[in-house]
Amino acid sequence: MKNAQPWKSFVPMAVNPLLGIPAIVPIFLVWYVLSNGPLAELGLTIQDPNEDDGMLLWLVIVVPVVAGFGGIWAPVNIRLRRRLFTVPPPYPYWSACVTATLAPFFVGLGLG
């Protein structure tokens, strides 16, 4: 982001938290599947006692939701990166975008 004007650096940091608000749903679904499946098998979490339907049902729900959100998030950020910056370094840009997108989820955890 060396060649960018100062306001251009704030555009992705404003767009990604807004994208992070609907991202709460796929992030929660991924956590739910992981905590009741593989992490519970490893003994890192406790499986919900009411969760006896198996993981296939959850995967049928989670995969389209996560793919749908990724299908919106990735093109938006690719377009922002190409339009706003000449040659930004990829790792700082993408890590900042992911962090800004996850922020509403973790703020919600802190409030809850």
Side-chain angles (χ1 to χ4, degrees), residues 28-98:
F28 172 76
L29 288 174
V30 167
W31 169 248
Y32 189 83
V33 168
L34 290 175
S35 66
N36 283 306
L39 295 178
E41 293 292 326
L42 293 172
L44 299 173
T45 61
I46 299 172
Q47 186 174 8
D48 183 6
N50 296 324
E51 186 57 57
D52 57 0
D53 295 332
M55 286 290 111
L56 183 61
L57 173 65
W58 280 106
L59 291 177
V60 167
I61 296 169
V62 171
V63 170
V65 171
V66 171
F69 177 75
I72 295 168
W73 183 85
V76 166
N77 280 296
I78 289 170
R79 184 174 173 119
L80 280 175
R81 183 171 182 246
R82 287 184 182 161
R83 269 183 152 294
L84 296 177
F85 307 108
T86 54
V87 184
Y91 297 114
Y93 177 80
W94 288 109
S95 60
C97 288
V98 168

